[in-house]
Amino acid sequence: MTAETETKTEATATGSCCSPSGSCHDSSAPEAGSGTVTTVYQVSGMTCGHCEGAVSGEVSEIAGVTSVKAVASTGRVTVISEGPLDDEAVRAAVDEAGYELVGRAA
């Protein structure tokens, strides 16, 4: 998966790895719907929009995930899913992207 790959909720790619805003994707927060679970994770190593895109892309491939929003400046990754996620699946996805899942954000 490349940084320019869209997550499931994005309509268009910026066409650039890092846009002037430092993000590879829409800057709006994911929207939660009824029957969804929102979980916030702490990830270390993200420094730019490319990092955000890599993490978002991998996590979005987990079954049941409907939205992902990664923010490099805080290291937080907000995941909206149809039900509770297996933290080990999230850890594996973050690892595949080249970063480290610290755990759930407090």
Side-chain angles (χ1 to χ4, degrees):
M1 180 150 241
T2 66
E4 291 183 15
T5 302
E6 297 174 358
T7 58
K8 294 178 183 177
T9 60
E10 294 174 338
T12 60
T14 63
S16 170
C17 173
C18 294
S19 68
S21 68
S23 177
C24 291
H25 43 69
D26 184 349
S27 62
S28 63
E31 294 182 21
S34 62
T36 62
V37 176
T38 301
T39 310
V40 181
Y41 296 94
Q42 191 68 41
V43 174
S44 67
M46 294 189 300
T47 60
C48 67
H50 176 267
C51 302
E52 293 170 347
V55 170
S56 294
E58 290 296 333
V59 173
S60 71
E61 291 184 7
I62 299 171
V65 170
T66 58
S67 180
V68 180
K69 174 69 176 170
V71 180
S73 62
T74 63
R76 291 183 181 248
V77 178
T78 303
V79 182
I80 298 176
S81 57
E82 296 168 347
L85 295 176
D86 176 16
D87 286 348
E88 288 308 309
V90 176
R91 184 176 308 282
V94 170
D95 184 62
E96 181 67 26
Y99 304 92
E100 181 182 356
L101 178 67
V102 176
R104 290 186 182 217

